[in-house]
Amino acid sequence: MKRTTTIAALFVATGVIGMVISFVTAILPMAGPGFLLTLIGVGLFIRREKTRQSTGLISIVLIILVAVAGCTQKVVLKPEPGYLGVAERLPVRAALLIPETVKDYKFVGKPESVTMGMSPHEFPLGLALEEASMQIFSQVFDRLQLVRLPADAKKFDMILEPMVEDFHFRYDQLTYAGFAVSVLSTVKLKVTLSTGETRIWERSVESPEQRKGPWVFDPSFIKKTGESASDALVYCLRKIALDMVADGQVQRTARQMSTPRPSVAAAKRPEPPPRPVERPRPPIQAASLATAAAPAADVAQRWAVIVGVSDYKDSQIPALRYAAADAKAFYDYLVSPDKGRYAPSHVKLLIDRDATGRNIKEALYVWLKQAIEEDLITIYFAGHGSPESPDNPENLFLLPYDTHYENIAATGFPMWDIETALKRFIKAKRVIVIADACHAGGVGQSFDVQRRAARGVTVNPISSGIQNITNVGTGVCVITASDDKQFSQEDRKWGGGHGVFTYCLLEGLKGAADFNDDKRVTMGELTLYLSQEVRRETQSAQCPTVSGKFDPMMTIGR
């Protein structure tokens, strides 16, 4: 009997301590296990004297934990805005006005949750706002300079003033029944754009909750708290920046300010005699206007080449689970009459056995020659990518179905062949290249990784190699599934069996990326959505990249 009551007391003490630990720190979520242990102990009918012993132990631990919980948690923010994809910057000199009071602003408060509800957190939001604003808005204006005083800001064409309006954060154990914990943050920002004393534009945006986690045990959990707050900050700034550069009034004001005013002498110059009447010229075709300034909805026609390889002819090349399925799903979206609206005859699908090097080359070099300058072309590839060998890491290849592992140089599809197609054979001035060619567990990771690492060769240079395609010129946008230090992930949890990148790509195109609810998805909205969602789905283990000079307002989805 004594043994039973002792065990019961230990269960109760451990359970209560576990629940308290779970609420005063997020290192180790113990609410679920603690509650179960407490129930077990109560179920063993604890005797009064043993209960007193356990109560004393609990009291001592509670005093220690409460003292620890009162310490302020210093949160580090490292915002990573990424590439906006703005085709043409506003042609003005802008001042980013952030006074010392704004820069030094720190949010100090407790989370809106029971977990860690006793622990104050300090977020240096002002400093993070300054850093992220400089990175983002320097992609919007021709010139951007940070200033502290309003008097100094008036020397510039435009004045940009960001400020934090609201901030909330919390820790979530309830979703995981107390067996794990995640952190969520949301921020509300306001940005004002003015010329001198005249306010010309203002936008206020509140981010959805940005989640990091969950984790079962993580002594450095406070780092995830900073990442969650940083993601919320970046979300708002990117959304505001894209809205600003697309605003008609802002564009008109910027063009007016950049247009040189006529000199006094020129104003007094006598008017020239009237010119003789000329015969009217034929009107410019609408297709030509579309190339210059119209949204992508006005393109003449749309074309696409879609390639997906899961199973390779050479068994030495590891198979992928969902590359072919990703390509087929993207094809289905494009030819859907109520979604992508591509004419099926304008979309070439090459999957597995059909995705040979010869067929891919014929599609790019011959089939796409049908497109004219005003058309839009999309090239999609899901499969393996690899350098030629550890001895020639600068020679990069996409791997078609019939690639030979021992002879990639002769049987792979050279990256420079895509550049050749764009320069010499494809006439369209708007081209989107989407590549998911750096899969985990594939050639990029297992092909002589040890030898590559020993020779200082980057394990995964495929992403940057594909991005170099943008050197062809204006109008080419390249989106890759991950950066050079990451690998693409695929799993059944994403849409029943997809790569996370293509899953998010399709969700964004179907409307999830339509942030302003105007029933169309633009390139700017899509790149923002991909950057946020792929990182969220993979806990920042995979970050898509975007490069090139293209129109962020170009419609790509509905």
Side-chain angles (χ1 to χ4, degrees):
M1 185 68 179
K2 291 183 178 180
R3 183 177 180 182
T4 301
T5 54
T6 301
I7 294 173
L10 289 175
F11 271 126
V12 171
T14 304
V16 173
I17 291 170
M19 287 189 290
V20 173
I21 290 175
S22 180
F23 295 136
V24 301
T25 178
I27 293 177
L28 181 65
M30 290 287 293
F35 181 71
L36 292 177
L37 289 173
T38 303
L39 285 180
I40 293 172
V42 172
L44 293 175
F45 303 103
I46 303 172
R47 290 192 306 186
R48 180 175 299 178
E49 61 272 16
K50 294 300 179 180
T51 305
R52 290 172 182 168
Q53 295 175 13
S54 62
T55 304
L57 177 60
I58 292 171
S59 300
I60 295 173
V61 175
L62 280 174
I63 293 171
I64 296 173
L65 290 174
V66 168
V68 172
C71 300
T72 300
Q73 300 283 344
K74 303 282 187 179
V75 182
V76 177
L77 302 183
K78 294 183 178 179
E80 298 178 356
Y83 180 68
L84 272 183
V86 175
E88 185 176 354
R89 300 181 183 182
L90 298 175
V92 293
R93 296 167 59 251
L96 178 63
L97 178 57
I98 300 183
E100 292 287 347
T101 52
V102 175
K103 184 198 75 170
D104 295 335
Y105 169 67
K106 294 179 180 178
F107 173 88
V108 180
K110 297 176 182 178
E112 299 175 355
S113 57
V114 177
T115 304
M116 293 206 74
M118 301 173 63
S119 298
H121 287 53
E122 181 181 286
F123 294 80
L125 291 178
L127 201 59
L129 177 68
E130 176 181 304
E131 179 185 345
S133 296
M134 279 298 297
Q135 294 183 49
I136 287 179
F137 290 107
S138 61
Q139 302 180 53
V140 173
F141 297 94
D142 267 355
R143 291 183 60 188
L144 181 70
Q145 184 171 328
L146 177 66
V147 298
R148 301 292 183 199
L149 302 175
D152 294 334
K154 291 180 181 178
K155 301 175 184 177
F156 293 80
D157 300 326
M158 290 186 173
I159 303 172
L160 193 69
E161 296 180 75
M163 64 175 294
V164 178
E165 291 191 305
D166 202 5
F167 177 73
H168 301 274
F169 76 106
R170 64 186 177 94
Y171 292 92
D172 175 26
Q173 283 195 73
L174 186 60
T175 301
Y176 315 103
F179 287 85
V181 63
S182 61
V183 60
L184 302 95
S185 302
T186 180
V187 67
K188 185 177 182 181
L189 298 183
K190 182 173 75 173
V191 173
T192 303
L193 186 66
S194 57
T195 57
E197 301 293 337
T198 305
R199 181 176 300 177
I200 63 171
W201 188 85
E202 183 178 279
R203 186 73 78 246
S204 183
V205 171
E206 183 174 8
S207 73
E209 286 189 317
Q210 303 294 303
R211 183 185 295 268
K212 285 294 178 182
W215 62 90
V216 175
F217 176 74
D218 187 357
S220 62
F221 74 92
I222 205 68
K223 180 181 178 182
K224 288 186 173 63
T225 305
E227 292 173 352
S228 172
S230 297
D231 285 353
L233 193 70
V234 167
Y235 176 95
C236 292
L237 287 173
R238 286 184 63 103
K239 180 72 169 64
I240 291 171
L242 291 171
D243 287 349
M244 179 187 296
V245 78
D247 186 86
Q249 181 181 354
V250 173
Q251 292 177 355
R252 287 191 296 272
T253 304
R255 284 195 295 268
Q256 290 170 2
M257 301 189 77
S258 65
T259 302
R261 298 179 180 177
S263 64
V264 176
K268 294 181 178 180
R269 188 176 301 160
E271 296 183 2
R275 297 176 60 185
V277 178
E278 298 180 355
R279 293 183 179 178
R281 297 178 181 177
I284 300 175
Q285 294 181 358
S288 300
L289 294 174
T291 306
D298 294 333
V299 296
Q301 294 182 6
R302 296 176 175 86
W303 303 78
V305 171
I306 302 173
V307 181
V309 187
S310 288
D311 298 314
Y312 284 84
K313 184 177 181 180
D314 189 335
S315 60
Q316 294 185 82
I317 301 178
L320 294 168
R321 287 185 291 175
Y322 304 120
D326 285 350
K328 182 61 167 58
F330 188 58
Y331 169 84
D332 290 341
Y333 168 81
L334 290 187
V335 301
S336 172
D338 59 339
K339 294 174 184 175
R341 303 182 183 180
Y342 279 57
S345 61
H346 286 189
V347 183
K348 182 174 285 292
L349 177 64
L350 302 173
I351 289 181
D352 286 340
R353 292 179 177 273
D354 292 330
T356 62
R358 178 175 180 176
N359 286 347
I360 295 173
K361 191 168 186 176
E362 182 179 1
L364 298 183
Y365 280 37
V366 180
W367 189 74
L368 284 179
K369 288 174 70 175
Q370 302 174 80
I372 61 175
E373 291 186 355
E374 292 80 15
D375 291 349
L376 170 67
I377 287 177
T378 300
I379 300 171
Y380 174 96
F381 179 87
H384 281 309
S386 176
E388 175 188 341
S389 70
D391 299 313
N392 297 290
E394 70 282 357
N395 294 334
L396 304 176
F397 297 81
L398 299 177
L399 304 190
Y401 166 77
D402 54 349
T403 303
H404 292 294
Y405 180 86
E406 301 294 347
N407 194 5
I408 289 179
T411 57
F413 190 84
M415 211 76 75
W416 57 87
D417 273 6
I418 302 178
E419 293 185 50
T420 301
L422 295 177
K423 288 180 179 179
R424 297 179 179 274
F425 299 97
I426 294 176
K427 303 181 185 69
K429 298 301 182 183
R430 279 175 279 194
V431 179
I432 302 169
V433 179
I434 303 172
D436 191 355
C438 308
H439 289 84
V443 174
Q445 188 174 17
S446 63
F447 181 73
D448 297 331
V449 168
Q450 291 80 8
R451 284 204 291 150
R452 294 185 187 196
R455 302 170 95 122
V457 177
T458 304
V459 174
N460 181 12
I462 302 302
S463 179
S464 60
I466 296 173
Q467 292 172 38
N468 289 336
I469 296 170
T470 59
N471 295 333
V472 170
T474 302
V476 178
C477 172
V478 175
I479 306 175
T480 60
S482 58
D483 67 24
D484 280 353
K485 297 180 181 179
Q486 300 169 334
F487 294 99
S488 300
Q489 300 182 26
E490 53 178 4
D491 199 279
R492 289 191 60 83
K493 64 182 179 181
W494 292 305
H498 283 294
V500 61
F501 171 76
T502 297
Y503 169 74
C504 291
L505 172 68
L506 292 172
E507 290 298 305
L509 290 171
K510 292 174 183 177
D514 183 13
F515 295 114
N516 58 1
D517 295 323
D518 63 351
K519 307 303 180 185
R520 69 189 187 104
V521 176
T522 65
M523 283 298 300
E525 289 177 320
L526 181 65
T527 55
L528 171 60
Y529 178 83
L530 286 173
S531 174
Q532 295 284 343
E533 292 303 314
V534 174
R535 285 188 295 144
R536 182 178 291 111
E537 291 286 340
T538 62
Q539 300 181 32
S540 295
Q542 183 177 334
C543 305
T545 63
V546 183
S547 57
K549 296 180 179 180
F550 55 91
D551 182 6
M553 298 307 296
M554 179 171 63
T555 301
I556 189 174
R558 300 177 188 275

